[in-house]
Amino acid sequence: MTDLVRTVPMFPLGATVLPGSELPLNVFEPRYQALVNDVLAAPDGPDFGVVLITRGHEVGGGDERSDVGVLVRIRNHRQMSGGRFALDCVAGQRIKVVCWLPDDPYPRAEIAVWPDEENGSEWVALQQVDAAVIRLRETLTRLAQRRERGVPRIPTTADLSGSPGERLYSLAARCPLGDSDRQTVLAAPGVADRARVLAEALTGATEIVEFELLQS
């Protein structure tokens, strides 16, 4: 993790956001309207942090939050009646929360950017993920044929662009996974670990589909 620590506004959400993902937001709660106004006026750009709410709700506060998330940048915004905002955002670097500050008037935290910890086996690690993707696709195809419906398209990492770490994030965002699995992918220290946990999550998803096949 980088040594540079800075304070940023935080927007906890009920979903895991992965680096590279697009994030549309409708902002209606007064404290987050204040956040948007502040970040739009910030000299360093309209950035804020996003983390997963692990317990509780997005509205009202009192939630429990993950300490691993992403920095998000507002690309476009539209202000509506009542101070509401429609935001078009994109997720960038992974971050780790060093400490939470008082929610005054909105959540804030001291954060540090958390780059991947490399070990030299990143490209090899993608192979186990692609094998798990192919097995999941084959199982979904069998279920779709039995139920006479379309087959969801899930790419392999070879179909995607970017570094190995970026490909894994992109794949995890496209796969039928829950937010808990995606958060585990996000919190993996490096690419090899991310590949391992993503392959395990894909295997778990395949087993669920296989169970559905047995029941149909």
Side-chain angles (χ1 to χ4, degrees), residues 185-198:
V185 169
L186 180 63
V191 175
D193 290 319
R194 185 174 308 137
R196 176 180 53 80
V197 298
L198 180 53

Side-chain angles (χ1 to χ4, degrees), residues 106-159:
Y106 46 75
R108 297 177 304 129
E110 293 183 353
I111 63 95
V113 171
W114 186 14
D116 280 335
E117 300 172 11
E118 308 293 351
N119 63 10
S121 62
E122 286 74 23
W123 290 103
V124 175
L126 300 187
Q127 297 176 7
Q128 61 179 314
V129 176
D130 286 343
V133 169
I134 292 169
R135 180 185 169 199
L136 175 59
R137 288 197 310 205
E138 292 172 347
T139 309
L140 285 170
T141 299
R142 288 163 51 205
L143 182 62
Q145 291 171 343
R146 185 168 299 182
R147 295 184 176 178
E148 298 182 349
R149 66 186 189 191
V151 181
R153 185 181 184 282
I154 304 173
T156 64
T157 62
D159 300 320

Side-chain angles (χ1 to χ4, degrees), residues 26-37 40 77-87:
N26 291 312
V27 181
F28 58 88
E29 197 175 353
R31 59 179 178 155
Y32 291 123
Q33 292 175 8
L35 180 152
V36 173
N37 281 313
L40 288 175
H77 71 280
R78 180 165 57 92
Q79 189 162 10
M80 299 175 290
S81 62
R84 295 175 300 141
F85 285 95
L87 305 180

Side-chain angles (χ1 to χ4, degrees), residues 193-210:
D193 290 319
R194 185 174 308 137
R196 176 180 53 80
V197 298
L198 180 53
E200 290 172 355
L202 291 169
T203 298
T206 302
E207 291 171 352
I208 292 172
V209 179
E210 289 173 340

